[in-house]
Amino acid sequence: MRVKPAYVSETPVLIVGGGLVGASLAIALDSAGVAVTLVEAAKPRAGVQPSYDERNLALARASVNGLKAIGVWTHVADRATPIRYIQVTRAGEWGSTRMNAVKHGVDALGWMLPARELGEALLHRLYACTRLTHLAPARLESLEPIQAAWRARICCDHDEKFIDTALLVGADGSDSCVRTQLGIGVARMDYKQSLFVSTVMPEHAHACRAFERFTDDGPVALLPLAEDRCGVVITVPSEQVAAVSALDDADFIALVQQRFGWSLGRLCRPGRRHSYTISGVAAQNLNASRGVLVGNAAQTVHPIGAQGFNLGLRDALTLSEMIVSAADPGDAEVLAHYAARRAHDRHGVMAMSHGLVRLACLKQPALAPWRSLALWACDRVMPLQSLLVRRGMGFRGDSPRAILERES
């Protein structure tokens, strides 16, 4: 007979992982009146949370709607830069696609925001939660299935806590321990690429324009930021990472200029440079017995198209919506319905990201005319562009109510 440990607490929902997606889910549940416990390995400071890093996030319009709905956007709106125009090209080929917010009846297609800024806004909002128990720094040590629940052993401040929960949520990233504990398999894709992020000052004002350019060595993007600066995201093959890391500022700028071109004139004054390995992860299932995955624990997509956080936030807001209306948050039918609702959006984004990096950056001259024709069609055939823009803004599949457009 199992002996119940002393000092076992209970929570309807236990979220493991307090990064951008896990924190958003905790806030959404708290806003809806659901008690939740959030376990995060890092101290509750933006400077030490790994996902609140130096990347610049391209937030889809739907994501900003969702952040407004859960009370986060008000803490960071004045630091975000709108994206009003997007241009997509392929180096050495004639096709291009241009998307203009005004043409599609909106004030912005999305907004740019440093991940660290969004992290600080999430922490600010977390401090205002009234139904949230936030354990940080803390880590999940083990899980034990009990009747209609999981019992989690948490190490926190050199002490052990036992928490019984009706629903365990894995929001703990690409190498999710929750996913492993739940017995959910995973498919991995090594793109043999890394990305470098930095900032530059362009000769010509970015005017809220974002640029994505495909090349043989991978995509490069220049993204509008505050104070007339641009965020740089440049992808390089794995074998070139050491060489690019060793470049001085002048040579790094020369590399970006050569890969990106001259659409914004001469680039100068690079900021700090950070590199990240690119890998793809896809969980074989989103749900298990009284367990569910969100964000990078569910899927980690190639950064091309900047869909990672946007997809994860839609996971979180969909799950929150379903938990709020459920008598039992861990009920098998509820979790199966969650997985079904997320299937179209999830598989669509993963296929798009994988397909773009494989086709748009493939060193195949025979594909050049077809790629150019596809970019031309996306530029000139308005029903096709409208579909792409709507999906790019984050409206696809069975969307959570929080991301939908509201009359101002």
Side-chain angles (χ1 to χ4, degrees):
M1 184 179 74
R2 291 177 179 149
V3 178
K4 181 176 180 179
Y7 309 116
V8 173
S9 60
E10 296 182 355
T11 184
V13 182
L14 175 64
I15 303 170
V16 178
L20 299 174
V21 173
S24 298
L25 174 59
I27 292 166
L29 290 172
D30 179 88
S31 300
V34 178
V36 59
T37 298
L38 177 64
V39 174
E40 168 52 37
K43 294 180 180 179
R45 296 203 312 269
V48 297
Q49 162 55 255
S51 68
Y52 303 170
D53 56 25
E54 302 302 323
R55 293 167 300 160
N56 292 299
L57 299 174
L59 300 174
R61 185 176 184 87
S63 295
V64 172
N65 289 346
L67 292 171
K68 288 178 180 177
I70 62 174
V72 172
W73 192 245
T74 184
H75 299 295
V76 79
D78 60 344
R79 285 166 278 172
T81 303
I83 300 172
R84 297 198 168 101
Y85 176 93
I86 299 174
Q87 179 172 306
V88 183
T89 57
R90 212 300 183 169
E93 299 176 11
W94 57 266
S96 67
T97 297
R98 297 155 296 180
M99 293 168 274
N100 190 315
V102 172
K103 187 182 293 187
H104 293 277
V106 294
D107 61 336
L109 301 168
W111 282 261
M112 287 301 306
L113 186 69
R116 194 172 300 283
E117 300 276 7
L118 178 57
E120 290 179 354
L122 287 166
L123 285 176
H124 194 100
R125 181 63 183 82
L126 281 170
Y127 294 144
C129 290
T130 59
R131 299 168 184 84
L132 170 68
T133 301
H134 191 187
L135 303 179
R139 66 180 184 273
L140 174 68
E141 292 291 342
S142 64
L143 288 170
E144 177 189 6
I146 59 175
Q147 186 175 6
W150 284 101
R151 176 164 294 161
R153 182 165 64 94
I154 308 294
C155 182
C156 181
D157 291 332
H158 307 290
D159 192 16
E160 282 190 343
K161 298 178 183 294
F162 290 86
I163 302 174
D164 289 354
T165 184
L167 175 62
L168 176 69
V169 180
D172 50 340
S174 302
D175 296 319
S176 170
C177 72
V178 171
R179 187 178 62 220
T180 300
Q181 297 258 12
L182 291 174
I184 296 176
V186 64
R188 296 183 182 274
M189 170 62 69
D190 182 3
Y191 287 102
K192 296 179 170 55
Q193 294 177 330
S194 288
L195 61 86
F196 284 82
V197 300
S198 185
T199 60
V200 295
M201 178 64 73
E203 180 181 5
H204 307 310
H206 59 62
C208 298
R209 295 175 292 170
F211 299 84
E212 179 125 35
R213 188 165 179 80
F214 304 126
T215 76
D216 287 348
D217 289 326
V220 55
L222 257 68
L223 307 165
L225 295 176
E227 300 176 342
D228 293 325
R229 292 186 69 78
C230 286
V232 173
V233 182
I234 183 168
T235 307
V236 302
S238 296
E239 62 269 19
Q240 296 179 16
V241 171
V244 174
S245 297
L247 295 176
D248 62 20
D249 284 352
D251 287 338
F252 179 72
I253 283 285
L255 172 66
V256 174
Q257 194 87 68
Q258 181 266 324
R259 291 271 302 274
F260 174 70
W262 298 85
S263 296
L264 289 174
R266 188 174 298 279
L267 308 175
C268 64
R269 294 168 51 190
R272 289 186 299 172
R273 207 181 314 161
H274 301 269
S275 64
Y276 303 90
T277 300
I278 298 173
S279 62
V281 173
Q284 293 174 352
N285 298 294
L286 293 185
N287 58 305
S289 176
R290 295 201 169 272
V292 72
L293 303 175
V294 296
N296 283 343
Q299 64 278 314
T300 303
V301 299
H302 193 286
I304 194 170
Q307 289 299 311
F309 170 69
N310 296 296
L311 181 61
L313 182 62
R314 296 196 293 273
D315 288 345
L317 295 176
T318 301
L319 182 60
S320 171
E321 181 177 292
M322 298 187 67
I323 289 173
V324 168
S325 60
D328 176 0
D331 180 76
E333 289 188 10
V334 172
L335 301 187
H337 189 199
Y338 162 77
R341 281 188 64 180
R342 297 301 302 136
H344 180 267
D345 187 12
R346 179 175 184 253
H347 293 304
V349 170
M350 288 194 295
M352 180 275 293
S353 299
H354 185 73
L356 274 179
V357 76
R358 283 293 183 243
L359 296 176
C361 300
L362 198 64
K363 297 178 183 178
Q364 279 284 353
L367 289 176
W370 302 106
R371 286 189 294 230
S372 289
L373 184 61
L375 288 171
W376 178 88
C378 291
D379 186 63
R380 301 298 181 88
V381 180
M382 285 311 297
L384 175 59
Q385 184 173 118
S386 295
L387 176 63
L388 292 174
V389 166
R390 180 167 178 79
R391 289 183 173 179
M393 290 193 296
F395 304 109
R396 63 159 76 215
D398 189 354
S399 300
R401 290 188 296 272
I403 73 168
L404 301 180
E405 295 283 86
R406 293 169 175 77
E407 293 185 7
S408 52

